Amino acid sequence: MRAHRKRLKKSPRILAGYSRHPSQIQGEVKLKGKKGKITIREEFCKECHFCINVCPQGHIAPAATFNSRGYRPIAINPEGKPCTGCGLCALMCPDIVIEVYRE
């Protein structure tokens, strides 16, 4: 059992954060000093808010307007911290609405 745990700790999947809580991923990925940018395709957003819940910076918030399908899409939160480009929001989005770019 212990050998199995050691093997899992070295696995790149765990280091990428696939099996850990999102609050632990920020420190492991080591994104300090990195800058990111996200683009949102508002027309395809279905208001699930998974990305809002998982963003460690609070960079995403619900928009004030509705899209053509009647959903309130996500938007960039001006009161949140700057985006680090961690990509958690894009991983959580079931509709592939978010694209993350790192500088």
Side-chain angles (χ1 to χ4, degrees):
M1 186 77 154
R2 289 185 185 190
H4 179 67
R5 286 185 185 166
K6 287 181 183 178
R7 198 172 346 132
L8 285 177
K9 287 183 181 178
K10 294 179 182 178
S11 171
R13 253 185 130 183
I14 288 180
L15 292 177
Y18 291 108
S19 63
R20 299 251 178 134
H21 191 268
S23 64
Q24 297 174 349
I25 294 172
Q26 182 67 19
E28 289 181 9
V29 180
K30 297 180 181 175
L31 294 171
K32 289 186 176 180
K34 300 278 183 179
K35 293 184 180 180
K37 178 185 174 186
I38 62 170
T39 59
I40 302 163
R41 296 188 305 169
E42 295 177 356
E43 288 302 314
F44 298 104
C45 182
K46 293 182 182 172
E47 196 178 0
C48 67
H49 293 183
F50 291 150
C51 55
I52 295 173
N53 295 330
V54 78
C55 181
Q57 303 297 323
H59 188 66
I60 305 170
T65 60
F66 294 93
N67 61 13
S68 63
R69 296 179 179 188
Y71 296 108
R72 186 184 307 245
I74 58 170
I76 295 173
N77 185 6
E79 298 173 3
K81 295 178 184 176
C83 179
T84 59
C86 68
L88 291 175
C89 55
L91 285 173
M92 291 300 295
C93 182
D95 299 316
I96 312 170
V97 172
I98 303 170
E99 293 180 4
V100 178
Y101 300 98
R102 294 182 187 158
E103 293 179 8

